[in-house]
Amino acid sequence: MQHNLRVFYRDPKELIPNQLNADISGDPQKNSRYQELLQSIKICGILQPLIVTKRNRIRAGNMRHHIALSIGLTKVPCLEEIDSDELLKVEAVENKEQIIDNYKTVSHDINKGDTPYSKLMRIKILEEYYGIRQGVRIDKSPEIKQAKEKRDKIAPQTERTQLKAIEKNLELAFPDDAEKQKEYWGKVGTGKSVIAAVKETKMLAVKAQEPEDLDERFDYITDQIKIYNQSCLDLSNIPNKSIRAIIGSPPYHLMKPPQEGFENELGQEETAKQYALNLLELYLPCKRILLDDGSIWIVINEGVKNGSYTGAVEWLIVLMLENGFILNDVLIWAKYNTQPSGGNRSTRNFEYILQFTLKPVPKCDFTWLNGFEPLNDNVFGVGAGIKLASFIHLKEGFVKTSVANTGRLREACEKEGFYLEHSSTYPPEIPFVCIKTSCQKGDHIADLFNGCGSTAKAVLYAADMDITYHGFEINPVSVRASKINIEMDFGKQSNGKTKEFKPTTDNSTPKVA
Ligand SMILES: C[S@@+](CC[C@H](N)C(=O)[O-])C[C@H]1O[C@@H](n2cnc3c(N)ncnc32)[C@H](O)[C@@H]1O
């Protein structure tokens, strides 16, 4: 009898759930293991193949199938259904010698106490020796039943999945280098948690496969979305008085480690004042490109250093005011998914959205809010008197773009062969509010700190406004990620008929006061 013992891949849409199991177990989402399995599949993918018949009927794996469909996986690993007795004959007997050898190589680890590595080895030995696979029937073999119980005692399923993911990642990260793999395993469980190792090895695995030209300049230019892989210190490609709004979020002061390969990156300054001065240097030239009734929207926050909030935001406000900008509005973006923080102070669950302008009467229109009242807590009033509340929370959002999902973006980047390291993104909903309030149809806008392109996505959400976007980003990897970020939600963008600027002649850049 011929059996397909190799893993093959199927589009989950082609697979038919096991109706009998579904009837017995009910809605998979109500199963207590569902969330745990969902998280594990999001991190590691599906490691245990589904068991399917020749006609694509699922024998085992309804829940994995359900999750695969819900998170949009396009292929899942499968094994063809096989009788457990056959499997034992084919696998266990053939590999016995090898398995015993493997056991010997890990037994010294076991004597020292179980490390994650020795656990994995013991699990693999049990699985190989007894032919334990998803879908193998235990009712026919008490031996397999016992072996499964033993395996569960060594590590429950989630941990087994994690250990196997580390192994798979290390093989990709250090191919043919058993020493390096072993060296890494030595750190797992001693100082490095298993879950941290899953994440890190995933990153190492993806990085090992990255293309060599990843550091080279990468611009993304379409009709509507233009992302220049250059510092916003150089705005020379933007004509005078051509931009209605500059919307974006700079790297925050001392909140993240510097990006590798970028000297003197903004945010790494010793003092908050120096940080604010450096930011001011970037915003002053915006006076040249901004239309007189235009706005600069800055999404920003600050952290605690030596027991005190640094005042980075307050320094920036003072310096901007001293240099002739008007602080037209201060919005608070309230965040409901913040982790509790330490220290003798409240957990900060907001960020500032500052609106600076050149004139006391900027372009401002709240009528777009009509239709969102009266149930939306972000909206005050009705009709012509309608206004945005300055306390914005996305629970009652405007476009329901959901939260910024960097996990999904990171996965998409991995599929394209590179690892997305830096990704402090905001949800497109935030710049969407700024665009709708301060821009008009056909405008050009800019983001000095493009990141992964959330402001560009907001432009596309506000499709009726027909805005052209100009983003500046120093990191070519982030520009590549932006392209993916945009195209995964809005498809490939056309490139052929860009809307021209209407430049004026004033070319002066003001000096710091
Ligand atoms: C906080 S992130 C912006 C995230 C963005 N709002 C999003 O949602 O994707 C700041 C970005 O600014 C970039 N950056 C830092 N200094 C820059 C500069 N001088 N010019 C252009 N980009 C810069 C960083 O590489 C980083 O991607």
Side-chain angles (χ1 to χ4, degrees):
M1 196 178 184
Q2 275 290 5
H3 284 296
N4 185 0
L5 284 175
R6 290 197 160 277
V7 173
F8 53 92
Y9 289 85
R10 284 273 179 279
D11 183 337
K13 289 195 196 107
E14 288 169 19
L15 299 176
I16 306 155
N18 183 331
Q19 199 48 49
L20 182 66
N21 281 0
D23 289 345
I24 297 169
S25 333
D27 182 356
Q29 272 178 284
K30 297 213 172 106
N31 187 302
S32 58
R33 278 190 46 232
Y34 187 90
Q35 283 307 327
E36 196 181 69
L37 191 59
L38 174 69
Q39 289 315 320
S40 138
I41 289 177
K42 276 188 179 165
I43 297 170
C44 315
I46 294 183
L47 295 177
Q48 266 183 314
L50 282 68
I51 308 298
V52 299
T53 67
K54 278 200 171 62
R55 289 171 195 274
N56 285 344
R57 289 189 180 279
I58 298 173
R59 283 283 174 247
N62 268 2
M63 211 191 311
R64 277 162 288 158
H65 177 241
H66 190 280
I67 291 171
L69 287 175
S70 75
I71 62 174
L73 295 185
T74 52
K75 52 182 189 174
V76 294
C78 300
L79 278 174
E80 198 176 295
E81 184 185 39
I82 186 167
D83 183 277
S84 61
D85 292 344
E86 279 294 319
L87 187 82
L88 273 178
K89 266 187 233 147
V90 183
E91 282 265 286
V93 179
E94 270 180 16
N95 295 335
K96 202 166 181 170
E97 303 264 307
Q98 178 67 49
I99 290 166
I100 290 167
D101 271 1
N102 284 348
Y103 186 83
K104 281 186 196 148
T105 62
V106 292
S107 53
H108 69 280
D109 278 339
I110 297 167
N111 293 337
K112 273 200 258 163
D114 236 353
T115 63
Y117 181 68
S118 65
K119 275 187 184 180
L120 176 69
M121 288 302 121
R122 288 168 65 203
I123 289 163
K124 284 178 64 173
I125 287 160
L126 283 172
E127 288 180 346
E128 281 180 51
Y129 192 86
Y130 291 99
I132 305 173
R133 292 237 192 303
Q134 185 72 23
V136 168
R137 288 173 55 181
I138 53 173
D139 55 343
K140 286 198 176 177
S141 162
E143 250 189 330
I144 296 183
K145 185 168 184 262
Q146 267 183 357
K148 268 189 150 183
E149 284 166 2
K150 211 165 163 186
R151 181 185 68 160
D152 288 348
K153 271 200 195 134
I154 298 172
Q157 187 178 346
T158 313
E159 191 181 344
R160 290 201 302 271
T161 309
Q162 290 166 344
L163 294 173
K164 285 177 187 173
I166 296 174
E167 184 186 47
K168 187 177 119 196
N169 292 339
L170 285 174
E171 276 163 11
L172 290 168
F174 309 116
D176 307 322
D177 195 340
E179 270 313 300
K180 276 232 161 102
Q181 295 177 22
K182 204 68 197 276
E183 195 185 309
Y184 190 94
W185 273 114
K187 293 185 252 169
V188 186
T190 52
K192 196 184 292 292
S193 72
V194 169
I195 190 81
V198 173
K199 281 194 186 154
E200 189 176 65
T201 54
K202 180 89 195 249
M203 184 257 289
L204 292 172
V206 178
K207 278 182 158 273
Q209 327 283 316
E210 278 177 347
E212 280 177 7
D213 63 355
L214 206 60
D215 290 343
E216 286 173 18
R217 180 174 179 134
F218 187 89
D219 295 311
Y220 177 62
I221 307 291
T222 73
D223 290 347
Q224 222 183 331
I225 306 296
K226 291 149 202 323
I227 305 177
Y228 315 110
N229 186 191
Q230 69 193 45
S231 169
C232 59
L233 269 171
D234 175 13
L235 298 176
S236 57
N237 53 334
I238 308 290
N240 300 343
K241 302 289 170 200
S242 60
I243 298 288
R244 179 82 62 197
I246 293 164
I247 305 168
S249 179
Y252 297 168
H253 183 224
L254 298 179
M255 302 270 261
K256 282 252 163 117
Q259 299 189 80
E260 215 175 289
F262 297 94
E263 297 293 306
N264 305 322
E265 201 196 340
L266 189 71
Q268 303 301 322
E269 297 78 356
E270 287 250 316
T271 65
K273 184 177 179 187
Q274 190 53 53
Y275 165 73
L277 274 166
N278 288 352
L279 257 183
L280 177 70
E281 288 284 355
L282 299 177
Y283 282 115
L284 270 180
C286 293
K287 287 191 178 183
R288 176 184 71 78
I289 62 170
L290 202 62
L291 286 157
D292 283 341
D293 60 357
S295 296
I296 300 178
W297 297 90
I298 307 178
V299 180
I300 192 165
N301 215 339
E302 64 190 43
V304 173
K305 195 181 161 193
N306 301 330
S308 167
Y309 273 112
T310 61
V313 178
E314 291 77 3
W315 271 114
L316 177 68
I317 294 176
V318 169
L319 290 173
M320 293 285 278
L321 290 175
E322 275 184 356
N323 281 274
F325 290 98
I326 287 166
L327 182 57
N328 183 68
D329 212 346
V330 179
L331 307 180
I332 296 296
W333 162 25
K335 301 165 94 174
Y336 288 89
N337 54 357
T338 312
Q339 295 291 321
S341 57
N344 296 324
R345 58 187 63 77
S346 57
T347 290
R348 180 167 284 208
N349 66 339
F350 73 86
E351 300 206 18
Y352 296 92
I353 308 171
L354 309 175
Q355 184 195 17
F356 291 99
T357 59
L358 304 179
K359 294 265 163 72
V361 191
K363 184 126 254 125
C364 179
D365 177 13
F366 290 125
T367 54
W368 64 275
L369 292 168
N370 278 310
F372 289 110
E373 84 296 353
L375 292 177
N376 194 313
D377 286 349
N378 295 313
V379 180
F380 273 92
V382 284
I386 202 160
K387 284 208 151 189
L388 183 71
S390 54
F391 181 85
I392 296 187
H393 59 84
L394 301 185
K395 272 188 192 166
E396 301 292 344
F398 297 108
V399 278
K400 297 274 185 276
T401 59
S402 81
V403 291
N405 188 342
T406 38
R408 182 170 155 249
L409 176 59
R410 185 164 285 129
E411 268 171 35
C413 292
E414 279 164 17
K415 278 193 195 130
E416 292 293 318
F418 67 92
Y419 186 78
L420 177 64
E421 220 155 330
H422 286 262
S423 55
S424 317
T425 58
Y426 50 39
E429 187 113 19
I430 296 295
F432 178 88
V433 168
C434 307
I435 291 170
K436 281 286 187 179
T437 302
S438 63
C439 297
Q440 65 186 43
K441 203 167 176 194
D443 278 346
H444 287 254
I445 70 159
D447 183 346
L448 306 189
F449 309 102
N450 173 85
C452 297
S454 308
T455 313
K457 282 177 85 166
V459 161
L460 297 172
Y461 276 112
D464 58 317
M465 308 272 297
D466 193 21
I467 305 272
T468 307
Y469 170 84
H470 304 266
F472 292 80
E473 175 52 56
I474 47 173
N475 188 341
V477 175
S478 299
V479 184
R480 282 176 191 263
S482 303
K483 175 177 189 292
I484 294 170
N485 198 9
I486 290 163
E487 292 183 356
M488 76 183 171
D489 284 345
F490 294 95
K492 205 167 159 42
Q493 301 293 297
S494 72
N495 189 3
K497 41 180 187 345
T498 296
K499 245 200 204 78
E500 290 305 322
F501 292 112
K502 292 185 204 92
T504 63
T505 47
D506 176 15
N507 218 358
S508 56
T509 297
K511 297 262 173 301
V512 185

